[in-house]
């Protein structure tokens, strides 16, 4: 895995600070942070704002206001289901 691009991490942190409060007030959201995007339990070489939720749901089951964007100000958003033990990987 390549070293993280510090400029991308800093940009993601600044965007996160702007949205943190509103996103943490959404039902089911347990946390937000900046980290690597995750797919099927594998970390990718992409810095993202990660939204931790108690349970991921199909988009069709969510109201428009409950859906997170694919990106915020050019920073990718990754929604992760966090089981009771707090780990995002199996």
């Amino acid at each position: 895995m390549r070293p993280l691009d510090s400029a991308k991490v800093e940009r993601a942190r600044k965007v996160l600070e702007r949205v943190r409060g509103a996103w943490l007030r959404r039902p089911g959201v347990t946390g937000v942070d900046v980290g690597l995007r995750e797919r099927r339990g594998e970390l990718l070489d992409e810095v993202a704002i990660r939204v931790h939720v108690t349970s991921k749901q199909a988009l069709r089951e969510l109201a428009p206001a409950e859906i997170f964007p694919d990106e915020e100000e050019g920073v990718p958003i990754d929604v992760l289901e966090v089981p009771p033990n707090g780990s995002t990987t199996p």
Side-chain angles (χ1 to χ4, degrees), residues 29-80:
V29 175
T30 60
V32 292
D33 65 14
V34 171
L36 294 175
R37 184 184 283 267
E38 192 174 310
R39 286 291 172 262
R40 295 178 185 87
E42 298 291 323
L43 294 176
L44 306 179
D45 285 336
E46 183 177 11
V47 175
I49 294 173
R50 304 182 321 163
V51 181
H52 303 265
V53 298
T54 53
S55 177
K56 285 182 85 168
Q57 298 175 358
L59 290 176
R60 67 182 178 278
E61 296 175 12
L62 298 171
E66 296 176 309
I67 298 172
F68 287 94
D70 291 331
E71 63 177 41
E72 183 73 29
E73 298 179 36
V75 178
I77 307 301
D78 193 13
V79 178
L80 304 169

